[in-house]
Amino acid sequence: MEGLRRGSAAIVGVAESDLGQVAEGMSVFDLMAQGTRRALDDCGLSLKDIDGLFCATAQSRLSVLGLAEYLGIDPKFIGSTIVGGSSFEFHVAHAMGAIALGLCNVALIAYGSTQRTIGRKQASVREINPYETPFKPFLPSSAYALAASRHMHQFGTTREQLAAVAVAAREWALLNPAAWEKKPLSIADVLSSRMVSYPFTVRDCCLVTDGGGAIIVTSAERAKSLKKPPAYVLGCGHSVTHANITSMPDLTVTGALTSGKAAYKMAGLGPADIDAVELYDAFTINTILFLEDLGFCKKGEGGAFVSNGRIAPGGSLAVNTNGGGLSYCHPGMYGLLLLIEAVRQLRGECGARQARDCEIAMAHGNGGVLSSQATVILGAPSTL
């Protein structure tokens, strides 16, 4: 992200909307507004302070207009980039740039989904692809399963190693009162669950929930005077490699390789500096691929890396500390929730799931079918 200055902006307010299965009749804008009110309360600002507005949802074609109307505001700057679940990590960089240029001062980034309540088919219309649709793939599961199968073939990754990702996520979720899943999970449980798309059982796949939330971004200077300790944006990076899985250049290498390098360069940091890692785990293979591509282990060694509780509570690397999309919640486009958890970890607000001595956290978003990747590195005030 050339031109953006390390630490020039900060996330100052974060909040989830209602999660899981929301009240009947709630709209995506109800959830966005609910998250907005809670995020404003979190940082001590008010609706009249917002002059930058960013949002994305699969359930509204003109979402930023709908949210502006709902909130009754006329923002100076808007953004509705939608590249799947990573959209909100893109929005952080866009908000940071807009603030630096004086185009806005306080930016709201919001998301909402009622996919569980109304049904996924209504929440997200599948597009026809003449090169893939005739083969009747079960998307997105089959696309990610293709990447998992290739990783298994090329590097010897096992189903047990994939299952270890789901087990670690569940162990974190059991420490999070807001998590959807409340029952313990074993590797045997994952392997014996209903097969969805080989090698994935249903426990290798993310939840289908309603939910959303909001974050508030402002300048580093203004952030100092607000209610909670700021989470400074130290580094950002992004990459778009394809749209459809059959056009992915290499099924075992994602754009996280590029986005991570850019974020590390801007932050002046490396993988060893990250205290909490929040990764978009729509499927168990995601966590393995992103840990490799973001430099936490070598390519092909992700399966061994996640084994034996290394990324679970008490392990050497705190990964997906809220329980992730696999066990906490997954309202369609999960990337905003990654940012919320990263900020809370930096503030030390996470109780039983709090990462030790957390001063630097990463939120890495994924969109489409491993199509768009965006990395945000956040730091506590001590890191400036």
Side-chain angles (χ1 to χ4, degrees):
M1 302 299 296
E2 296 293 335
L4 294 184
R5 185 167 57 83
R6 180 191 195 271
S8 62
I11 299 175
V12 293
V14 299
E16 299 142 314
S17 68
D18 290 351
L19 303 174
Q21 186 156 357
V22 300
E24 189 175 349
M26 287 195 81
S27 73
V28 295
F29 298 113
D30 290 323
L31 294 175
M32 289 184 195
Q34 193 179 61
T36 298
R37 170 49 58 202
R38 293 172 183 177
L40 288 169
D41 289 345
D42 184 58
C43 64
L45 291 171
S46 65
L47 199 57
K48 64 180 174 55
D49 293 307
I50 295 171
D51 59 358
L53 184 61
F54 299 81
C55 66
T57 176
Q59 291 174 244
S60 172
R61 195 163 50 89
L62 303 174
S63 60
V64 75
L65 300 185
L67 183 57
E69 177 185 81
Y70 191 109
L71 297 176
I73 62 174
D74 179 15
K76 292 195 299 184
F77 191 84
I78 61 171
S80 56
T81 293
I82 182 165
V83 286
S86 62
S87 299
F88 314 99
E89 282 72 25
F90 279 80
H91 292 167
V92 168
H94 298 169
M96 190 180 191
I99 291 166
L101 291 170
L103 300 175
C104 66
N105 297 299
V106 177
L108 164 66
I109 303 173
Y111 175 64
S113 167
T114 57
Q115 65 166 14
R116 185 178 183 88
T117 301
I118 69 171
R120 290 180 69 186
K121 287 185 179 179
Q122 286 181 270
S124 182
V125 178
R126 293 281 171 220
E127 296 179 12
I128 294 174
N129 177 335
Y131 306 106
E132 294 182 4
T133 304
F135 296 96
K136 299 181 179 179
F138 180 61
L139 294 173
S141 302
S142 293
Y144 286 88
L146 193 64
S149 295
R150 181 63 194 176
H151 204 277
M152 292 169 72
H153 170 77
Q154 193 165 331
F155 302 113
T157 308
T158 66
R159 287 188 63 210
E160 288 78 8
Q161 290 170 338
L162 290 170
V165 173
V167 169
R170 182 64 57 87
E171 290 179 10
W172 284 112
L174 294 176
L175 302 176
N176 182 1
W180 177 262
E181 291 288 358
K182 304 296 185 185
K183 295 179 181 178
L185 184 70
S186 69
I187 288 177
D189 292 333
V190 178
L191 298 181
S192 63
S193 296
R194 175 173 57 86
M195 184 62 66
V196 172
S197 188
Y198 186 86
F200 294 151
T201 71
V202 67
R203 296 303 172 199
D204 287 288
C205 305
C206 62
L207 303 172
V208 179
T209 68
D210 301 329
I215 66 174
I216 309 293
V217 184
T218 191
S219 66
E221 191 58 37
R222 185 161 191 178
K224 295 174 185 176
S225 63
L226 298 178
K227 195 172 173 182
K228 299 271 187 81
Y232 291 96
V233 183
L234 304 181
C236 299
H238 66 249
S239 176
V240 175
T241 51
H242 60 282
N244 304 292
I245 197 67
T246 49
S247 294
M248 187 172 178
D250 184 332
L251 286 167
T252 67
V253 180
T254 74
L257 186 66
T258 298
S259 67
K261 285 180 179 177
Y264 287 135
K265 181 180 179 182
M266 180 177 165
L269 299 168
D273 299 307
I274 310 298
D275 301 311
V277 187
E278 312 300 338
L279 304 174
Y280 198 117
D281 59 338
F283 298 88
T284 49
I285 189 60
N286 291 36
T287 302
I288 289 173
L289 289 173
F290 299 152
L291 286 170
E292 292 174 347
D293 293 339
L294 293 167
F296 293 97
C297 60
K298 292 181 180 177
K299 177 54 63 181
E301 296 181 2
F305 186 86
V306 300
S307 300
N308 302 314
R310 181 178 271 153
I311 64 170
S316 59
L317 185 64
V319 177
N320 294 342
T321 51
N322 56 8
L326 292 166
S327 281
Y328 153 62
C329 78
H330 194 284
M333 292 164 62
Y334 174 62
L336 189 66
L337 284 304
L338 298 165
L339 292 158
I340 291 171
E341 178 69 6
V343 171
R344 288 176 172 166
Q345 285 289 340
L346 292 174
R347 292 176 177 175
E349 294 178 341
C350 294
R353 70 182 192 276
Q354 180 62 46
R356 294 186 301 271
D357 303 320
C358 188
E359 294 189 319
I360 299 171
M362 172 185 284
H364 177 78
N366 159 76
V369 285
L370 297 171
S371 312
S372 63
Q373 307 296 325
T375 310
V376 176
I377 299 174
L378 300 171
S382 59
T383 62
L384 289 188

Coordinates of all heavy atoms in Angstrom, one line a residue, residues 6-7 9-14 42 92 228-235 269 273-278 318 321-322 337-351 353-363 376-384:
R6 N 2.6 4.2 8.2 CA 2.5 3.3 9.3 C 1.9 4.1 10.5 O 2.5 5.1 10.9 CB 3.8 2.8 9.7 CG 3.9 1.8 10.9 CD 5.3 1.5 11.2 NE 5.5 0.4 12.1 CZ 5.4 0.4 13.4 NH1 5.2 1.6 14.1 NH2 5.6 -0.7 14.2
G7 N 0.8 3.6 11.1 CA 0.3 4.2 12.3 C -0.4 5.5 12.2 O -0.7 6.2 13.2
A9 N -3.4 6.0 11.1 CA -4.9 5.9 11.4 C -5.0 4.8 12.5 O -4.1 3.9 12.6 CB -5.7 5.6 10.2
A10 N -6.1 4.7 13.1 CA -6.4 3.7 14.1 C -7.8 3.3 14.2 O -8.7 4.1 13.8 CB -6.0 4.3 15.5
I11 N -8.1 2.1 14.5 CA -9.4 1.6 14.8 C -9.7 1.9 16.3 O -9.0 1.5 17.2 CB -9.6 0.1 14.5 CG1 -9.3 -0.2 13.1 CG2 -11.0 -0.4 14.9 CD1 -9.3 -1.7 12.7
V12 N -10.8 2.7 16.5 CA -11.1 3.2 17.8 C -12.4 2.7 18.4 O -12.6 2.8 19.7 CB -11.1 4.7 17.8 CG1 -9.7 5.3 17.6 CG2 -12.1 5.3 16.9
G13 N -13.2 2.1 17.6 CA -14.5 1.5 18.1 C -14.8 0.2 17.4 O -14.6 0.2 16.1
V14 N -15.2 -0.8 18.1 CA -15.6 -2.1 17.4 C -16.8 -2.6 18.1 O -17.0 -2.5 19.4 CB -14.4 -3.1 17.5 CG1 -13.2 -2.6 16.8 CG2 -14.1 -3.5 19.0
D42 N -18.7 2.3 22.0 CA -17.5 1.7 22.4 C -16.3 2.8 22.4 O -15.4 2.7 23.2 CB -17.1 0.6 21.4 CG -15.8 -0.2 21.8 OD1 -15.8 -0.7 23.0 OD2 -14.9 -0.2 21.0
V92 N -10.3 -0.9 5.3 CA -9.5 -0.3 6.3 C -8.4 0.5 5.6 O -8.1 1.7 5.9 CB -8.8 -1.4 7.2 CG1 -7.7 -0.7 8.1 CG2 -9.9 -1.9 8.2
K228 N -11.3 4.4 24.4 CA -10.5 3.1 24.6 C -9.1 3.3 23.9 O -8.9 4.1 23.1 CB -11.3 2.0 23.9 CG -12.7 1.7 24.4 CD -12.6 0.7 25.6 CE -14.0 0.3 26.0 NZ -14.6 -0.8 25.2
P229 N -8.2 2.4 24.3 CA -6.9 2.5 23.6 C -7.0 2.2 22.1 O -7.7 1.2 21.8 CB -6.1 1.3 24.3 CG -6.8 1.1 25.6 CD -8.2 1.4 25.4
P230 N -6.4 3.0 21.3 CA -6.5 2.8 19.9 C -5.7 1.6 19.4 O -4.7 1.1 20.0 CB -5.8 4.1 19.3 CG -5.7 5.0 20.4 CD -5.6 4.2 21.6
A231 N -6.2 1.0 18.3 CA -5.5 -0.1 17.6 C -4.9 0.5 16.3 O -5.7 0.7 15.4 CB -6.4 -1.3 17.3
Y232 N -3.7 0.9 16.3 CA -3.1 1.6 15.2 C -2.9 0.7 14.0 O -2.5 -0.5 14.2 CB -1.8 2.2 15.6 CG -1.9 3.3 16.6 CD1 -1.8 3.1 18.0 CD2 -2.3 4.6 16.2 CE1 -2.0 4.1 18.9 CE2 -2.4 5.7 17.1 CZ -2.3 5.4 18.4 OH -2.5 6.4 19.4
V233 N -3.2 1.2 12.8 CA -3.0 0.4 11.6 C -1.5 0.5 11.2 O -1.1 1.6 10.7 CB -3.9 0.9 10.5 CG1 -3.7 0.0 9.2 CG2 -5.4 0.9 10.9
L234 N -0.8 -0.5 11.4 CA 0.7 -0.5 11.2 C 1.0 -0.9 9.8 O 2.0 -0.5 9.2 CB 1.4 -1.4 12.2 CG 1.2 -1.2 13.7 CD1 2.0 -2.2 14.5 CD2 1.5 0.2 14.0
G235 N 0.2 -1.8 9.2 CA 0.5 -2.3 7.8 C -0.7 -2.8 7.2 O -1.6 -3.4 7.8
L269 N 7.7 -5.1 10.2 CA 7.6 -6.3 11.1 C 7.6 -7.5 10.3 O 7.6 -7.5 9.1 CB 6.2 -6.2 11.9 CG 6.0 -5.0 12.8 CD1 4.6 -5.0 13.3 CD2 7.0 -5.1 14.0
D273 N 6.8 -11.3 15.0 CA 6.3 -10.2 15.8 C 4.9 -10.2 16.1 O 4.4 -9.5 17.0 CB 6.6 -8.9 15.1 CG 8.1 -8.6 14.9 OD1 8.9 -8.7 15.8 OD2 8.5 -8.4 13.7
I274 N 4.1 -11.1 15.5 CA 2.7 -11.1 15.6 C 2.3 -12.0 16.8 O 2.6 -13.1 17.0 CB 2.0 -11.7 14.4 CG1 2.5 -11.0 13.1 CG2 0.5 -11.6 14.5 CD1 2.3 -9.5 13.0
D275 N 1.5 -11.4 17.7 CA 1.0 -12.0 19.0 C -0.3 -12.8 18.8 O -0.5 -13.7 19.6 CB 1.0 -11.0 20.1 CG 2.3 -10.3 20.3 OD1 3.3 -11.0 20.5 OD2 2.3 -9.1 20.4
A276 N -1.2 -12.3 18.0 CA -2.5 -12.9 17.8 C -2.8 -12.9 16.3 O -2.6 -11.8 15.6 CB -3.6 -12.2 18.5
V277 N -3.2 -14.0 15.7 CA -3.4 -14.1 14.3 C -4.8 -14.5 14.0 O -5.3 -15.6 14.4 CB -2.5 -15.2 13.7 CG1 -2.5 -15.2 12.1 CG2 -1.0 -15.0 14.1
E278 N -5.6 -13.6 13.4 CA -7.0 -13.8 13.1 C -7.1 -14.0 11.6 O -7.0 -13.1 10.8 CB -7.8 -12.6 13.5 CG -7.6 -12.1 15.0 CD -7.8 -13.2 16.0 OE1 -8.5 -14.2 15.8 OE2 -7.2 -13.1 17.1
A318 N -1.3 -18.0 18.9 CA -2.7 -17.8 19.1 C -3.4 -17.5 17.8 O -3.1 -16.4 17.2 CB -2.9 -16.6 20.1
T321 N -8.7 -16.7 17.8 CA -8.9 -16.7 19.2 C -10.4 -16.6 19.6 O -10.8 -16.9 20.7 CB -8.1 -15.6 19.9 OG1 -8.4 -14.4 19.3 CG2 -6.7 -15.9 19.9
N322 N -11.3 -16.2 18.7 CA -12.7 -16.1 19.0 C -13.4 -17.4 18.6 O -14.6 -17.5 19.0 CB -13.4 -14.9 18.3 CG -13.1 -15.0 16.7 OD1 -12.6 -15.9 16.2 ND2 -13.5 -13.9 16.1
L337 N -15.4 -9.4 11.3 CA -15.3 -10.0 12.6 C -13.8 -10.2 13.0 O -13.5 -10.2 14.2 CB -16.1 -11.2 12.7 CG -17.6 -11.1 12.8 CD1 -18.1 -10.3 14.0 CD2 -18.3 -10.7 11.5
L338 N -13.0 -10.5 12.0 CA -11.5 -10.7 12.3 C -10.9 -9.4 12.9 O -10.1 -9.5 13.8 CB -10.8 -11.0 11.0 CG -11.2 -12.3 10.2 CD1 -10.7 -12.3 8.8 CD2 -10.7 -13.5 11.0
L339 N -11.3 -8.3 12.3 CA -10.8 -7.0 12.8 C -11.3 -6.7 14.2 O -10.5 -6.2 15.0 CB -11.2 -5.9 11.8 CG -10.6 -5.9 10.4 CD1 -11.4 -5.2 9.4 CD2 -9.1 -5.4 10.5
I340 N -12.5 -7.0 14.4 CA -13.1 -6.8 15.8 C -12.3 -7.6 16.8 O -11.9 -7.0 17.9 CB -14.6 -7.1 15.8 CG1 -15.4 -6.1 14.9 CG2 -15.1 -7.1 17.2 CD1 -16.8 -6.5 14.7
E341 N -12.1 -8.8 16.5 CA -11.3 -9.7 17.5 C -9.9 -9.2 17.7 O -9.4 -9.2 18.8 CB -11.4 -11.1 17.1 CG -10.6 -12.1 18.0 CD -11.2 -12.3 19.3 OE1 -12.3 -11.8 19.6 OE2 -10.6 -13.0 20.2
A342 N -9.3 -8.8 16.6 CA -7.9 -8.3 16.7 C -7.8 -7.1 17.6 O -6.9 -7.0 18.4 CB -7.3 -8.0 15.3
V343 N -8.7 -6.2 17.4 CA -8.7 -5.0 18.3 C -8.9 -5.4 19.7 O -8.3 -4.9 20.6 CB -9.8 -4.0 17.8 CG1 -9.9 -2.8 18.8 CG2 -9.4 -3.4 16.4
R344 N -9.9 -6.2 20.0 CA -10.2 -6.6 21.4 C -9.0 -7.3 22.0 O -8.7 -7.2 23.2 CB -11.4 -7.5 21.4 CG -12.7 -6.7 21.1 CD -13.9 -7.7 21.1 NE -15.1 -6.9 21.0 CZ -16.3 -7.4 20.7 NH1 -16.4 -8.7 20.4 NH2 -17.4 -6.6 20.6
Q345 N -8.3 -8.1 21.2 CA -7.1 -8.8 21.8 C -6.0 -7.7 22.2 O -5.4 -7.8 23.2 CB -6.5 -9.7 20.7 CG -7.2 -11.0 20.6 CD -7.1 -12.0 21.8 OE1 -6.1 -11.8 22.6 NE2 -8.0 -12.9 21.9
L346 N -5.8 -6.7 21.3 CA -4.9 -5.6 21.6 C -5.3 -4.9 22.9 O -4.4 -4.4 23.6 CB -4.7 -4.7 20.4 CG -4.1 -5.3 19.2 CD1 -4.1 -4.3 18.0 CD2 -2.6 -5.7 19.5
R347 N -6.5 -4.7 23.1 CA -7.0 -4.0 24.3 C -7.0 -4.9 25.6 O -7.2 -4.4 26.7 CB -8.5 -3.6 24.1 CG -8.7 -2.5 23.0 CD -10.2 -2.3 22.9 NE -10.5 -1.2 22.0 CZ -11.8 -0.9 21.7 NH1 -12.8 -1.6 22.2 NH2 -12.1 0.1 20.8
G348 N -6.8 -6.2 25.4 CA -6.8 -7.1 26.5 C -8.2 -7.3 27.1 O -8.4 -7.6 28.3
E349 N -9.2 -7.3 26.2 CA -10.6 -7.4 26.6 C -11.2 -8.8 26.4 O -12.4 -9.0 26.6 CB -11.5 -6.5 25.7 CG -11.2 -5.0 25.9 CD -12.0 -4.1 25.0 OE1 -12.5 -4.6 24.0 OE2 -12.1 -2.9 25.4
C350 N -10.4 -9.8 26.1 CA -10.9 -11.1 25.7 C -11.1 -12.2 26.8 O -11.4 -13.3 26.5 CB -10.1 -11.7 24.6 SG -10.3 -10.6 23.1
G351 N -10.8 -11.8 28.0 CA -11.0 -12.7 29.1 C -10.3 -14.0 29.0 O -9.1 -14.1 28.8
R353 N -10.0 -16.1 26.7 CA -9.3 -16.4 25.4 C -8.2 -15.4 25.1 O -7.7 -15.3 24.0 CB -10.3 -16.5 24.3 CG -11.0 -15.2 23.9 CD -12.0 -15.4 22.8 NE -12.4 -14.1 22.3 CZ -13.3 -13.3 22.8 NH1 -14.0 -13.6 23.9 NH2 -13.7 -12.1 22.2
Q354 N -7.9 -14.5 26.1 CA -6.9 -13.5 25.8 C -5.5 -14.1 25.5 O -5.0 -14.9 26.2 CB -6.8 -12.6 27.0 CG -5.8 -11.4 26.9 CD -6.2 -10.5 25.8 OE1 -7.3 -10.1 25.6 NE2 -5.2 -10.1 25.0
A355 N -4.9 -13.6 24.4 CA -3.6 -14.0 24.0 C -2.6 -13.3 25.0 O -2.8 -12.1 25.4 CB -3.3 -13.6 22.6
R356 N -1.5 -14.0 25.3 CA -0.6 -13.4 26.3 C 0.2 -12.2 25.7 O 0.7 -12.3 24.6 CB 0.5 -14.5 26.7 CG -0.1 -15.7 27.5 CD 1.0 -16.6 28.0 NE 1.7 -17.2 26.9 CZ 1.4 -18.3 26.2 NH1 0.3 -18.9 26.6 NH2 2.1 -18.8 25.2
D357 N 0.3 -11.2 26.5 CA 1.2 -10.0 26.1 C 0.9 -9.6 24.7 O 1.9 -9.4 23.9 CB 2.7 -10.4 26.3 CG 3.0 -10.8 27.7 OD1 2.4 -10.2 28.6 OD2 3.8 -11.8 27.9
C358 N -0.3 -9.4 24.3 CA -0.7 -9.1 22.9 C -0.5 -7.6 22.6 O -1.3 -6.8 23.1 CB -2.1 -9.5 22.7 SG -2.6 -9.4 20.9
E359 N 0.5 -7.3 21.8 CA 0.7 -5.9 21.4 C 0.6 -5.7 19.9 O 0.4 -4.6 19.4 CB 2.1 -5.5 21.8 CG 2.3 -5.4 23.3 CD 3.6 -4.7 23.7 OE1 4.7 -5.1 23.0 OE2 3.7 -3.9 24.6
I360 N 0.7 -6.8 19.1 CA 0.6 -6.7 17.7 C -0.3 -7.9 17.2 O -0.1 -9.0 17.6 CB 1.9 -6.9 17.0 CG1 2.8 -5.7 17.4 CG2 1.8 -6.9 15.5 CD1 4.3 -5.8 17.0
A361 N -1.4 -7.5 16.5 CA -2.3 -8.5 16.0 C -2.5 -8.4 14.5 O -2.4 -7.3 13.9 CB -3.7 -8.4 16.7
M362 N -2.8 -9.5 13.8 CA -3.0 -9.5 12.4 C -4.5 -10.0 12.1 O -5.0 -10.9 12.8 CB -2.1 -10.5 11.7 CG -2.4 -10.8 10.2 SD -1.3 -12.0 9.5 CE 0.2 -11.1 9.3
A363 N -5.1 -9.3 11.2 CA -6.4 -9.7 10.7 C -6.2 -10.0 9.2 O -5.9 -9.0 8.4 CB -7.5 -8.7 10.9
V376 N -4.2 -6.9 7.3 CA -4.1 -5.7 8.2 C -3.3 -6.1 9.4 O -3.7 -7.0 10.1 CB -5.5 -5.1 8.5 CG1 -5.3 -3.9 9.4 CG2 -6.2 -4.7 7.3
I377 N -2.3 -5.3 9.7 CA -1.5 -5.5 11.0 C -1.8 -4.3 11.9 O -1.7 -3.2 11.5 CB 0.0 -5.6 10.7 CG1 0.3 -6.8 9.8 CG2 0.8 -5.7 12.0 CD1 1.8 -7.0 9.4
L378 N -2.3 -4.7 13.1 CA -2.7 -3.6 14.1 C -1.7 -3.7 15.3 O -1.3 -4.8 15.7 CB -4.1 -3.9 14.5 CG -5.2 -3.9 13.4 CD1 -6.5 -4.3 14.0 CD2 -5.3 -2.5 12.8
G379 N -1.5 -2.5 15.9 CA -0.6 -2.5 17.0 C -1.2 -1.7 18.2 O -1.9 -0.7 17.9
A380 N -0.9 -2.0 19.4 CA -1.2 -1.3 20.5 C -0.4 0.0 20.6 O 0.5 0.2 19.8 CB -1.0 -2.1 21.8
P381 N -0.8 1.0 21.4 CA -0.1 2.3 21.5 C 1.4 2.1 21.7 O 2.2 2.9 21.2 CB -0.8 3.0 22.7 CG -2.2 2.5 22.6 CD -2.1 1.0 22.2
S382 N 1.8 1.0 22.4 CA 3.2 0.8 22.7 C 4.0 0.5 21.5 O 5.3 0.6 21.5 CB 3.3 -0.4 23.7 OG 2.8 -1.5 23.1
T383 N 3.4 0.2 20.3 CA 4.1 -0.1 19.1 C 4.5 1.0 18.2 O 5.2 0.9 17.2 CB 3.3 -1.1 18.3 OG1 2.1 -0.5 17.9 CG2 3.0 -2.4 19.1
L384 N 4.0 2.2 18.6 CA 4.4 3.4 17.8 C 5.7 4.0 18.2 O 6.1 3.9 19.4 CB 3.3 4.5 17.9 CG 1.9 4.1 17.2 CD1 1.0 5.4 17.3 CD2 2.1 3.7 15.8

